[in-house]
Amino acid sequence: MVTRRTVLSAAAAAVAGTALGARVASADTTITVDAGANFGTWEGWGTSLAWWANVFGDRDDFAELFFTTNSVSYGGSSRPGLGLSIARYNLGASSWNSVNGESMVASANIPRFKQIEGYWQDWNVTDPSQWQWTADAKQRAALTKAVARGAAAELFANSPMWWMCLNHNPSGASGGGNNLQSWNYRQHAVHLAETARHARDSWGVTFRTVEAFNEPSANWWTATGTQEGCHIDASIQRTIVGYLREELNNRGLSGVRVSASDESLFDQARTTWSSFDSTARSVVAQVNTHGYQYESGRRDLLYDDVRSAGKILWNSEYGDGDGTGLRLATNLCLDFRWLHPTAWCYWQVMDPSAGWGVIRYDAGTLQAGAVETKLYVLAQFTRHVRPGMRVLGASTDNVVAAYDAGARRLVLAAVNTGAAQTITFDLSRFTTVPGTTATRWTTVTASGGDRYVRRADVTPNGKSIRLAFPAGSVQTIQVDGVVL
């Protein structure tokens, strides 16, 4: 996981500054906010559960920290709850039983906490009531805790069950090619659909969407990999999404939508979507992409393709190793400017590798540890751009703008990755901007800087707001009484 993400990160950095690359202002600048733009109704922020939840999913403090906006005590300090409203549940591919003398072949390089236990553990047992529904207890606990706190849920699979794989290895084929047995295409869909039905009936969780793949066109899913994964060609994906729609319908889950294909890169997502025929497209309600092309890739073209097809677009997974959170903020703003998703999900909010999560833990002892500055940077966005808000437009790549019509509230969250500068927000396109004091929150990523500090000290000057941004900082401004 970290190895291939690092490779992608280096590749993206090498091409940063191209057609849609990050533009870092080095002098005072003006950002014009487009009140007339409407890039959709915001659905929410999320995280995948998977590994971190396999370790810490039964802890209420983490459920509170990630899925509420409460102030939560952790590590002896009060932390701002992120208010995530989407939980992506990972259907596992592993089990340690033997079937007709055959058993799972596990990569020598996969740690135990990255092996997620699946439910259909014996291919001879076709009656779902006899499946191993007590498996994956901690991740299930995280799912139900998130849903109890108001989160919507998506079901996804990194790999089909081990016994559906050609080499019985849920980390991938030896050469990184297709590893799902052709006679198990439908069985993979059955496992997903039956899990969705059981979740509804026994866990009190109705999945909003079901995704059968995870980065399926990637060639790094190999038998020596460090996680569960499976290469699945786009032609095979088309067949499986059809089976998945049928199997969901067969279980009375016609309201549960199919999403696809969670490709790694924006350009790759566009290629896969373009390859789908009209039949496959008709059953896919939501296009998921991952954000590992970072500062590169044609986000705008993917948006155009998905919008023209009338589908929902999510950035369903993003992660990076920059613990300051500045790279996260940069790419998140690029997504809002060019990709225009209606939801945005971070991969693992807790991770053993420095910088990858918002909280680090020890891979050996599985003890939770330090809070990354990234937690506070992410809070600058997730606590303020809330579900139901209208996503607006802006003239630069370093800001997110959203509007709550009911509260008449304008939210602006901007990042300054360079030297200290002053940013002027031009609000001339709004009908009314009150001259009353607005509220701002600041995170300065340098050591000893602000960590999501609230101040009520900003007063609009007519229809503009002028604000000093320290070097390496993110600020969020909330202006109430604004009329579009």
Side-chain angles (χ1 to χ4, degrees):
M1 174 72 173
V2 173
T3 299
R4 64 122 166 144
R5 295 292 194 238
T6 302
V7 169
L8 284 172
S9 176
V15 296
T18 55
L20 294 179
R23 300 165 192 154
V24 179
S26 58
D28 293 354
T29 188
T30 296
I31 299 173
T32 301
V33 181
D34 186 355
N38 186 349
F39 291 109
T41 300
W42 188 244
E43 294 183 81
W45 308 90
T47 184
S48 296
L49 303 179
W51 311 337
W52 75 265
N54 193 30
V55 180
F56 302 106
D58 55 352
R59 286 183 52 164
D60 286 325
D61 56 344
F62 291 138
E64 286 287 299
L65 182 61
F66 301 138
F67 295 103
T68 78
T69 55
N70 298 332
S71 294
V72 180
S73 178
Y74 173 76
S77 298
S78 179
R79 319 286 181 173
L82 292 178
L84 304 181
S85 57
I86 299 168
R88 302 189 72 235
Y89 178 76
N90 175 206
L91 178 58
S94 297
S95 68
W96 292 267
N97 56 303
S98 177
V99 185
N100 297 351
E102 300 180 48
S103 57
M104 180 176 70
V105 177
S107 166
N109 299 313
I110 186 171
R112 178 63 185 85
F113 68 88
K114 292 185 180 180
Q115 293 176 294
I116 306 298
E117 189 177 11
Y119 300 110
W120 191 358
Q121 299 187 0
D122 184 336
W123 65 78
N124 297 306
V125 181
T126 56
D127 178 0
S129 69
Q130 302 303 308
W131 291 3
Q132 190 63 263
W133 293 114
T134 58
D136 195 26
K138 286 195 175 183
Q139 193 192 183
R140 281 190 290 109
L143 174 67
T144 55
K145 289 176 187 295
V147 170
R149 288 163 174 80
E154 178 170 65
L155 174 64
F156 77 101
N158 283 331
S159 168
M161 278 298 294
W162 65 266
W163 55 262
M164 300 182 192
C165 298
L166 287 165
N167 61 357
H168 288 185
N169 187 331
S171 288
S174 60
N178 290 315
N179 201 32
L180 175 58
Q181 296 165 338
S182 59
W183 55 94
N184 279 319
Y185 292 171
R186 184 178 288 275
Q187 303 299 66
H188 180 45
V190 167
H191 191 203
L192 285 158
E194 192 57 44
T195 299
R197 186 206 61 77
H198 189 85
R200 181 198 62 188
D201 295 347
S202 300
W203 306 342
V205 174
T206 298
F207 287 108
R208 174 191 176 282
T209 44
V210 179
E211 163 66 273
F213 319 112
N214 177 66
E215 302 181 355
S217 294
N219 59 6
W220 48 68
W221 305 123
T222 69
T224 57
T226 60
Q227 67 174 94
E228 296 177 348
C230 185
H231 178 95
I232 301 174
D233 283 341
S235 59
I236 301 172
Q237 294 177 44
R238 294 198 296 267
T239 300
I240 293 172
V241 296
Y243 288 156
L244 180 57
R245 180 70 274 158
E246 291 174 8
E247 296 300 336
L248 288 168
N249 292 347
N250 290 343
R251 288 160 179 79
L253 296 171
S254 59
V256 177
R257 291 172 280 188
V258 173
S259 53
S261 290
D262 274 282
E263 296 287 12
S264 316
L265 315 175
F266 306 120
D267 296 341
Q268 199 172 54
R270 184 169 177 248
T271 298
T272 295
W273 178 246
S274 297
S275 77
F276 278 17
D277 57 23
S278 59
T279 301
R281 287 186 174 211
S282 69
V283 301
V284 175
Q286 175 176 302
V287 175
N288 285 352
T289 184
H290 293 182
Y292 295 109
Q293 209 161 354
Y294 295 109
E295 295 85 1
S296 186
R298 294 302 302 267
R299 290 167 165 89
D300 57 332
L301 297 182
L302 176 58
Y303 169 71
D304 289 344
D305 287 354
V306 174
R307 179 184 60 177
S308 65
K311 307 299 182 180
I312 297 166
L313 177 60
W314 279 16
N315 186 334
S316 56
E317 185 180 314
Y318 174 89
D320 66 50
D322 173 17
T324 71
L326 284 179
R327 195 173 195 197
L328 175 152
T330 296
N331 281 289
L332 190 159
C333 288
L334 283 170
D335 285 346
F336 271 73
R337 178 83 189 281
W338 301 107
L339 183 67
H340 308 301
T342 53
W344 196 95
C345 302
Y346 196 78
W347 166 227
Q348 293 287 274
V349 286
M350 300 180 70
D351 197 277
S353 300
W356 272 88
V358 300
I359 295 178
R360 199 181 312 177
Y361 63 94
D362 187 287
T365 64
L366 301 182
Q367 296 298 306
V371 174
E372 306 278 6
T373 308
K374 182 179 282 184
L375 170 73
Y376 303 99
V377 168
L378 188 55
Q380 298 274 163
F381 298 93
T382 61
R383 289 173 60 89
H384 299 281
V385 179
R386 300 303 299 164
M389 296 182 84
R390 171 174 165 178
V391 181
L392 305 179
S395 61
T396 64
D397 289 350
N398 64 323
V399 65
V400 168
Y403 182 73
D404 183 330
R408 292 189 171 183
R409 174 173 296 163
L410 174 66
V411 169
L412 305 168
V415 56
N416 173 32
T417 60
Q421 64 171 319
T422 297
I423 296 178
T424 299
F425 296 92
D426 176 0
L427 308 181
S428 60
R429 299 186 182 184
F430 291 85
T431 300
T432 303
V433 178
T436 54
T437 301
T439 308
R440 67 183 173 102
W441 290 259
T442 306
T443 295
V444 179
T445 58
S447 177
D450 287 352
R451 297 292 184 263
Y452 192 71
V453 175
R454 180 183 184 276
R455 297 180 176 89
D457 59 359
V458 178
T459 303
N461 180 15
K463 290 188 177 182
S464 71
I465 293 175
R466 185 173 170 86
L467 185 61
F469 272 68
S473 67
V474 180
Q475 294 199 70
T476 305
I477 307 164
Q478 177 181 300
V479 189
D480 289 337
V482 174
V483 178
L484 287 180

